[in-house]
Amino acid sequence: MTSLPDEQPSAQSGTGYFERIAAEIRSKIAPERVMDLGCGAGALVKELRAVGIEAYGLDPDSEKVLAAGAVLQNYLHSAPLSSPLDGKYDLVTCLNVLHRLPEETIEEVLSVLAAGTGDVLFAAPPPDYAGAEPAFPPDYWATVFAKHGFFHDLDFDASFIAPWAFRFRKRSAPTLLDAVEAYERGLWSLRRENVQLKDTLRETERSRDLALAENDPLMQTLTYRLKQWETTWADLEQSAGWKLLSAVRKFRLRFAPPGSRRAELLRLVRDGFGTLGRDGMGAFFRHWWNGLRSPSLRFAAGQKTIEQRNAEAYPGFVERTVLSTGQLDEQRAEAASWDWRPLISFITPVYQPPVNVLEALLESVLAQTYDRWELCIADASLQTPETRKLLQSYASRDDRIRLQLLEANLGICGNSNAALRMASGEYIAILDHDDLLAPDMLFEVARRIRKNPAVDVIYFDEDKLSADGTERREPFFKPDFAPEMLISANYLTHAVYRKRLVEDTGGFDPAFEGCQDWDLAFKVTERTEHIIHIPRVLYHWRQVSGSTAGEFGAKGYVFERQLRCVRGHLERLGMKNVQTSFPFPGFLRATWPVPGRKVSIIIPTKDKVAFLKRTIDSILKKTDYPDFEIVIVDNGSRQRNTLKYFAKLQDNHQVKIVDYNEKFNFSRANNIGAAHASGDLFLFLNNDMKILHADWLEELVRWAERPEIGIVGAKLLYPDDSIQHAGVIVGMEGHASHVFWGYRERQSGPFGSVDWYRNFTAVTGACMLIRRDTFEEIGSFSERYVLAFSDIELCKRAIDNGYRVVYTPFARLYHFEGKSRGDHIPSIDIRVGYDDLMALVESGDPFYNPNLSYIERKPLILSPDEEDRVARLRRVAARVRVDELTLPPEKQN
């Protein structure tokens, strides 16, 4: 039976509990005004006010309210819980109080809440609660809240309050499509949490006496949640409702695939009716007008989705890039003539694969055009004699195939280490027992080794192979080595490593079984900078049942180990107290404390005060970071409302206004702001932004504080939640452009996901963080530029000075792009940018892939007839020069 903690301990004795709740509310919800129903002596109100939230409390017990003390009593009052609220509240907390009321009174309280708020954090005892008051089942609370327009937010985890806590929000009733998406996210989280809880319980059982653990509150909570999740998981999978939702999902994916015009229209309809119910008819029409003009819908209108275009383009790409028999013969002859031919050892653990699949793998190794290799196989297929018979047959035919028959299955790591001990090559190549190699894989690798004998790691592009081996699909075109991107995804996967470095790491670590390749990639790349990427698809992952290539989550036990793997890597690099998590399925986030040095937020502006005010207000209200100033660089504002707003800001010690009464130059405005800034870090920010979450600035600082990082950029979204900026590719659409433009969050493609940490050549100056000392070292913004490309040139200069440029997807802002200055690019910027960037455009941006198109801002497979990126840039520059000849001299830049 479940027992509850003290619902409302005194402000003195229970502050730790309520401190945590207040901090989580501030971080995850960021309300401005909160009412705590059943506040008792005001412990939660006190802690909410301590973190800057305007909080009040109401409790029917006047003695508890009086016990709060004189200071706190100003914010508490005693009255029945069904009393009307004194105005509107962003959030009402209602923690373990409603269940004590008669059902008719519960209805009255919820009517009051419906009139005063749209957001409720709620907790009540679970059904197995052994207490004096009744314990209603969760479906009771879901139903009674729904009657008053509140629906359970399935995406919000309220377990920081209690395992049985929920968040109810006022909105239109969720549709079947909403339920499908929410259930899928929830089920993935259940599966992951189930694994984590089992691991935690095992650790607890090993480290504590079980008799004592039975009475331990942590143990009780973990046991309760594990039982709850396992029961929920089993019930959902077998329920008729889940089967119906699965069928609806499949129909939806066929009818309106992600990114399609139909999908955008469905989203517009769903959100529109939610706006109508919440904000009225005017907001409804504004929503539709803005939505129909949104970039994502314009792009989707009348066009195939990005996924469809890439799926249709890939067979043609394969046909163009597969080598002919004659070309393969030429490679064999060339390889045979080399004076130095490094030995490369394949490391292949085998455990009961289908015999035909294993045979295809062996044949793909034998077909290599570079023949100085050895295949080291450690076979643990104890129950499948046909597997061993096949391996023995091949080993007897070719002495380069070295076979060890294991007496027990040692797991992926143990079997791999057995194969590693057999290897005699200078380099090892990791090869799974069910995958295939391109015939020129080793030739391309050996050619790079001969050209760069110091190279320690070589990796290449890859794709997936259907289970029957007949279809290649879902290519992954990778960038050159990007250390921060490796935190999000093991894109090295089955790379080729110098054997000595692998042995130095200790080989494959059983503690990371299932993500051992990722752990190895971290440990090797921590030891070397000699890493080469081959932009050719040389490895084919077979999508067989139970493989990671076949379905995400096939190896559910791996999730917690992945988190530990990334955490260990960052701690070895010097970060302290690292925390790792999966905010969404498959998307990893890493955080660690920051010193909290002062940040100067530098914002150039001129009039259009509504945009500036929205930016400033959102910074001041939604930023948790403790130490920052705002430096407004005013380029001659004249409008009365602007000057009135500036006068009001003069009273805010965090805001400084600097006059810049010259002809506008974006670079000079930022440089003047930096000259007047007092912070240790400079955040250059456009004036048409809106902050979306409280830890945005801390997230940027977290990466900028690392000494090897020069500049950090954020994820910027249009108001319709499509991507405006997630990194810059030099040479895209001319000089440079934003990759992933128009994508949705958590959308992926042949260049991976928009929600990965990434390294880029540049990020936009619309939101760019740099340390003061780095800014002074590499030089300020080049004032040769008027408006565009100076941010790219600054990033390029940072890289030239040995720094990295990083994009983090977890600092998210709305960007109302072009609202202040428009999107015209001065011709002088086009000319100067041409001179500064042409060499990089010619060589290709190292953080993009030459197999992807530079013509569009979404990652698309290269078309054989598209315009070359160098030719395109020359054409753009030439057109500007021609246009200038037609202008009168006073209008030429």
Side-chain angles (χ1 to χ4, degrees), residues 704-721:
E705 288 281 4
R706 291 176 55 181
E708 66 272 26
I709 306 301
I711 294 175
V712 182
K715 180 197 289 179
L716 305 182
L717 302 165
Y718 288 110
D720 74 334
D721 292 325

Side-chain angles (χ1 to χ4, degrees), residues 806-880:
V806 169
Y807 155 79
T808 170
F810 299 108
R812 302 165 60 255
L813 297 84
Y814 276 147
H815 185 194
F816 302 85
E817 184 184 32
K819 296 297 184 183
S820 179
R821 290 275 174 181
D823 56 5
H824 169 70
I825 299 177
S827 57
I828 185 66
D829 292 351
I830 294 176
R831 293 200 310 270
V832 175
Y834 176 90
D835 295 335
D836 286 347
L837 300 176
M838 176 52 88
L840 183 53
V841 173
E842 288 177 335
S843 62
D845 191 318
F847 297 108
Y848 206 46
N849 188 293
N851 295 307
L852 295 171
S853 172
Y854 277 75
I855 300 303
E856 295 193 45
R857 287 177 279 181
K858 292 184 174 72
L860 286 168
I861 295 171
L862 182 71
S863 171
D865 55 357
E866 74 178 42
E867 183 180 27
D868 175 80
R869 61 179 179 269
V870 175
R872 183 183 180 92
L873 179 54
R874 286 174 176 158
R875 179 169 57 80
V876 169
R879 186 173 66 237
V880 168

Side-chain angles (χ1 to χ4, degrees), residues 663-681:
K663 184 178 179 181
F664 180 75
N665 180 296
F666 180 73
S667 300
R668 179 152 177 75
N670 278 320
N671 291 340
I672 288 174
H676 286 80
S678 61
D680 300 301
L681 301 99

